[in-house]
Amino acid sequence: MFKIILAWLFGALILIQAIQISIPKPEKVTPDEEIKAPAEIMKMLKTSCYDCHSYETKMPWYGNIAPLSWEVKSHIKEGREWLNFQTWDRYDDEKKQKLYKGIAKTINFSMPMPMYLSLHKEAKLSREQRRQIKEWAESNIKEDY
Ligand code: HEC
């Protein structure tokens, strides 16, 4: 009985591989469109945010295996739609201001996404690193927006 259940589960797992979320193909970007920030900030953004907020996604091994891939790919897709650090200069001032505020707001709680952090220890930011990112984001917020 156990073997039959296992065989069914395995079969189901194979079948669901046909259902995949597709992420739009990365557009061409030039280095001057990327966000400009002090080197130490850039380094943190690259290790902790770029997997979802740029085209430089390092796909983990489970990133192509359903059902996990549904979660992973939808985060990448949405993450890029909300904020892509590589296409930063395509945003108008209003959008940039919104995003700086969003970064200052989310950096202490929701970003990087907690589920992602549980699988990516290298992306974890210390309290001090979060403070630095927050300070940098706030330093870019203009009062008249
Ligand atoms: C695992 C993927 C992932 C990682 C890593 C990640 N994000 Fe996000 N981010 C998302 C998704 C998905 C959204 C879309 C909104 C949501 O689901 O909360 C988002 C939305 C945002 C927003 C807009 C939300 C708002 O309220 O303004 C900001 C700002 C943001 N992320 C900043 C960051 C920063 C900064 C980092 C790195 C420190 C980071 N994110 C890392 C997936 C990610």
Side-chain angles (χ1 to χ4, degrees):
M1 189 60 192
F2 182 66
K3 269 190 190 156
I4 296 173
I5 294 172
L6 212 63
W8 271 103
L9 279 179
F10 189 69
L13 199 66
I14 300 287
L15 281 178
I16 63 170
Q17 300 312 313
I19 312 165
Q20 293 287 356
I21 289 178
S22 63
I23 309 177
K25 238 174 117 82
E27 291 168 37
K28 272 209 160 46
V29 286
T30 56
D32 54 296
E33 291 175 304
E34 192 168 30
I35 193 159
K36 314 265 174 321
E40 65 273 27
I41 300 287
M42 280 312 287
K43 206 170 148 216
M44 291 188 255
L45 298 182
K46 286 195 173 179
T47 40
S48 299
C49 320
Y50 265 48
D51 270 351
C52 302
H53 292 297
S54 84
Y55 292 131
E56 284 172 16
T57 303
K58 284 190 234 50
M59 190 60 96
W61 62 266
Y62 51 81
N64 287 308
I65 301 170
L68 264 172
S69 60
W70 302 338
E71 190 82 5
V72 172
K73 287 184 185 172
S74 72
H75 287 160
I76 296 169
K77 193 164 164 248
E78 274 180 49
R80 285 177 184 169
E81 280 165 10
W82 277 75
L83 159 63
N84 187 333
F85 286 117
Q86 282 183 304
T87 56
W88 183 260
D89 269 343
R90 295 182 195 175
Y91 300 139
D92 59 22
D93 276 352
E94 199 183 336
K95 169 97 176 168
K96 285 180 187 167
Q97 288 297 306
K98 251 196 205 127
L99 288 171
Y100 279 131
K101 285 179 190 164
I103 295 169
K105 202 173 65 192
T106 55
I107 195 68
N108 277 321
F109 305 102
S110 52
M111 289 294 146
M113 300 183 91
M115 196 189 100
Y116 170 82
L117 284 181
S118 63
L119 294 161
H120 293 261
K121 297 277 176 265
E122 76 288 351
K124 220 171 147 60
L125 295 166
S126 68
R127 187 183 276 222
E128 171 59 18
Q129 286 175 313
R130 286 172 193 269
R131 197 193 56 75
Q132 286 171 9
I133 292 179
K134 187 166 190 217
E135 203 176 88
W136 159 75
E138 281 171 347
S139 74
N140 285 295
I141 297 172
K142 298 185 206 125
E143 277 313 318
D144 46 336
Y145 273 97

